[in-house]
Amino acid sequence: MQRIKMTISYDGTAFNGYQIQPNGRTVQEEVQRALKQMHKGQLIHVTGSGRTDARVHAAGQVIHFDTPLSIPLDNWTRALNTQLPADVRVLRAERVPEDFHARYHVVRKTYHYRVNNRAASDVFRRNYAVHEARELDIDDMRMAAAHLIGEHDFTSFCSAKTDVKDKVRTIYRIDIEKENDELIFTFEGSGFLYNMVRILMGTFLEVGRGDRQADELPSILEAQDRSKAGKTAPPHGLYLWEVSYS
Amino acid sequence: MQRIKMTISYDGTAFNGYQIQPNGRTVQEEVQRALKQMHKGQLIHVTGSGRTDARVHAAGQVIHFDTPLSIPLDNWTRALNTQLPADVRVLRAERVPEDFHARYHVVRKTYHYRVNNRAASDVFRRNYAVHEARELDIDDMRMAAAHLIGEHDFTSFCSAKTDVKDKVRTIYRIDIEKENDELIFTFEGSGFLYNMVRILMGTFLEVGRGDRQADELPSILEAQDRSKAGKTAPPHGLYLWEVSYS
């Protein structure tokens, strides 16, 4: 058996999230279906670096699986892409030691969040960026973000629907760049709790609109109370961008 | 009665083209359905500047229609967008003289064609640009394009499936710009024949790949024979960008 690590990209629009579940189409299911084709009907279980929700995109999700097949790495990419639907693509395949684990060995994750900030919504970006008609104050949002850098208990920025006990995470970087009428937020951290990026984004958007002050962020963190933070921003602006391993 | 001119944008991915037809969802049908809602069930026929094929996009298609309603122009935009599906948006509404005609009075049309020129296809652009893995020679394509500027009989670049007799058109400009790994072709002309931009593009792509020489273009034009030009390029790279009136 060989363990293979794959970097995959998907357009989340037509998926009910990454992880297999009873209802709706999932990315894991499509990848496993394609692998089953290549393995003459044998089920190959894949493990992802983490879930993504319905309509959330991935530019660099990482998965691993074990296979008895011994084929060149380039052929893995090509063969799987032939079997996969057009909204999932394998970008890279690597051979890894058999103790490599796509979820447990993550040391850093990067997410992007895109906001289309102009008066009229753009039909071509409706599934790929969140539309915000009100002008957002980037400086205020940068000040808000600065309060979150470092190690904190992010209970206030975590969906109540989670079993995770330890809510301490480290955020290394939150950047906000403007490209024409699009704002691109980059979040880099040791790991992120359930809905954490979307709740951070919802809070930043309230600051950007002037509905909340940047200097409220420290007290929101301290409260360790989900209700103190902003609304959960919509899923379709979010991209799992990169997953790094030691 | 008042004549209204509207500029609309649509994502062509889920449409079987602009013009109403027996099979499949069309842009005209969706716009007329929304107008019918606003007119208490009365059919309001809309006239477009021209058709676009299935999967072809529009950033600035122009339509006109007559209405007995007398409502502020801004409200037209807002009210129609409320009724329209998310893949069609009204950008602007203007009151025009009753002899204005969206098709007959066109003096200039601009199209864009997008090519994603890199090794691996991009899942987020699969419906919005044509993927070309082989490196394209931009200089060669620019030389090919230069031969087409001006007034010519474009029979060689027109689908045989057309009733139009006069195939003389004027191309004012063909630009090719590179933005990261994307090539954006701009075509500006007095008007374009059926499939003309896509056949021009198919021919340019053959030149860009080195499968055809730029200096073959004059003899292709002269032949007035569709079979001498390149293949028709796929629809999803094409955008009706702007329609101008005198």
Side-chain angles (χ1 to χ4, degrees):
Chain A
M1 295 289 269
Q2 286 191 322
R3 185 155 290 193
I4 303 285
K5 171 189 174 191
M6 269 184 185
T7 307
I8 66 173
S9 175
Y10 44 87
D11 176 343
T13 309
F15 284 109
N16 201 7
Y18 168 78
Q19 186 168 282
I20 285 184
Q21 50 156 288
N23 302 309
R25 187 173 171 252
T26 64
V27 176
Q28 187 188 357
E29 177 188 356
E30 292 288 4
V31 173
Q32 291 188 178
R33 191 201 314 277
L35 284 170
K36 198 172 180 178
Q37 290 271 1
M38 289 179 66
H39 289 80
K40 299 180 178 161
Q42 188 189 343
L43 172 69
I44 304 293
H45 182 82
V46 308
T47 301
S49 74
R51 310 179 191 186
T52 54
D53 281 343
R55 301 198 68 202
V56 171
H57 311 292
Q61 167 72 292
V62 173
I63 61 173
H64 83 252
F65 58 87
D66 294 316
T67 175
L69 300 181
S70 181
I71 55 178
L73 289 171
D74 276 1
N75 292 9
W76 270 114
T77 307
R78 213 169 309 131
L80 261 182
N81 280 336
T82 308
Q83 300 290 343
L84 284 167
D87 51 359
V88 190
R89 291 290 95 184
V90 176
L91 303 178
R92 267 187 306 285
E94 297 160 69
R95 205 158 282 128
V96 284
E98 60 184 20
D99 64 349
F100 171 85
H101 196 283
R103 187 164 74 250
Y104 300 149
H105 296 172
V106 174
V107 294
R108 186 181 296 240
K109 272 190 174 177
T110 307
Y111 285 90
H112 280 186
Y113 197 97
R114 289 177 174 265
V115 179
N116 182 214
N117 192 22
R118 63 176 205 176
S121 67
D122 178 347
V123 80
F124 302 111
R125 285 186 274 175
R126 71 191 189 287
N127 295 320
Y128 305 105
V130 165
H131 176 242
E132 172 58 55
R134 283 165 68 184
E135 201 181 335
L136 296 169
D137 189 312
I138 299 181
D139 290 335
D140 281 354
M141 293 190 291
R142 284 185 176 138
M143 282 192 284
H147 290 295
L148 300 168
I149 305 304
E151 190 182 76
H152 300 284
D153 182 310
F154 284 99
T155 301
S156 296
F157 297 95
C158 178
S159 166
K161 290 180 279 176
T162 187
D163 297 328
V164 177
K165 294 282 177 293
D166 178 12
K167 305 233 176 62
V168 175
R169 296 290 183 278
T170 303
I171 295 186
Y172 304 118
R173 183 165 79 96
I174 304 177
D175 280 345
I176 312 176
E177 296 298 325
K178 191 171 165 71
E179 282 185 11
N180 303 314
D181 54 13
E182 193 150 295
L183 300 181
I184 301 161
F185 293 70
T186 303
F187 295 83
E188 207 177 291
S190 61
F192 292 87
L193 300 162
Y194 187 50
N195 277 173
M196 180 167 150
V197 179
R198 290 170 56 192
I199 299 169
L200 289 167
M201 274 306 308
T203 311
F204 294 162
L205 289 173
E206 291 174 15
V207 170
R209 289 184 206 111
D211 295 338
R212 193 187 277 271
Q213 300 302 310
D215 59 14
E216 292 175 38
L217 270 291
S219 61
I220 299 174
L221 264 181
E222 276 166 40
Q224 300 191 13
D225 174 355
R226 168 68 189 90
S227 73
K228 301 296 185 197
K231 289 204 181 114
T232 306
H236 61 282
L238 184 62
Y239 295 72
L240 172 55
W241 201 256
E242 198 180 354
V243 186
S244 304
Y245 298 86
S246 48
Chain B
M1 295 291 270
Q2 284 192 322
R3 184 154 289 192
I4 304 285
K5 172 190 174 190
M6 269 184 185
T7 307
I8 67 172
S9 176
Y10 45 86
D11 176 343
T13 308
F15 285 108
N16 200 7
Y18 168 79
Q19 186 167 284
I20 285 184
Q21 49 156 288
N23 302 309
R25 187 174 171 251
T26 64
V27 176
Q28 186 188 357
E29 178 189 356
E30 292 289 2
V31 173
Q32 290 189 178
R33 190 200 315 276
L35 284 170
K36 198 172 180 177
Q37 290 273 1
M38 291 179 63
H39 290 78
K40 300 179 177 163
Q42 187 189 345
L43 172 68
I44 303 293
H45 181 82
V46 307
T47 300
S49 74
R51 309 177 193 186
T52 54
D53 280 343
R55 302 197 66 199
V56 171
H57 310 292
Q61 167 72 292
V62 172
I63 59 173
H64 83 252
F65 59 88
D66 294 316
T67 176
L69 299 182
S70 182
I71 53 178
L73 289 170
D74 275 0
N75 293 8
W76 270 111
T77 306
R78 211 169 312 134
L80 261 181
N81 281 336
T82 307
Q83 300 290 342
L84 284 166
D87 51 358
V88 190
R89 291 290 94 182
V90 176
L91 304 178
R92 266 187 307 286
E94 298 159 71
R95 205 157 283 129
V96 284
E98 61 184 17
D99 65 347
F100 172 85
H101 196 283
R103 187 163 75 249
Y104 300 149
H105 297 172
V106 174
V107 295
R108 185 180 298 239
K109 272 190 173 177
T110 308
Y111 284 90
H112 280 186
Y113 196 97
R114 290 179 174 266
V115 179
N116 182 213
N117 191 22
R118 62 177 205 176
S121 66
D122 178 348
V123 80
F124 302 111
R125 284 185 277 175
R126 70 192 189 287
N127 295 320
Y128 306 104
V130 166
H131 176 241
E132 171 60 52
R134 285 165 66 185
E135 201 180 337
L136 296 169
D137 188 312
I138 299 181
D139 290 335
D140 282 354
M141 292 191 291
R142 285 185 175 137
M143 281 193 285
H147 290 295
L148 299 168
I149 305 304
E151 188 181 79
H152 299 285
D153 182 309
F154 285 99
T155 301
S156 296
F157 297 95
C158 177
S159 166
K161 288 180 281 177
T162 186
D163 297 328
V164 176
K165 293 283 177 293
D166 178 12
K167 304 231 177 59
V168 175
R169 296 291 183 278
T170 302
I171 295 185
Y172 303 119
R173 182 166 80 97
I174 302 176
D175 281 346
I176 310 175
E177 296 299 327
K178 191 171 165 71
E179 282 184 13
N180 304 312
D181 55 12
E182 191 150 297
L183 300 180
I184 301 161
F185 293 70
T186 303
F187 295 83
E188 206 177 292
S190 62
F192 293 87
L193 299 162
Y194 186 50
N195 277 174
M196 181 167 150
V197 179
R198 290 170 56 191
I199 299 168
L200 289 168
M201 274 305 309
T203 310
F204 294 163
L205 290 172
E206 291 173 16
V207 170
R209 289 183 205 112
D211 295 338
R212 192 189 277 272
Q213 300 301 309
D215 60 13
E216 291 175 38
L217 270 292
S219 61
I220 299 173
L221 264 181
E222 275 165 41
Q224 300 191 12
D225 174 356
R226 168 67 188 92
S227 72
K228 301 296 184 197
K231 289 201 181 116
T232 306
H236 61 282
L238 185 61
Y239 295 72
L240 173 54
W241 201 256
E242 198 180 354
V243 186
S244 305
Y245 297 87
S246 49

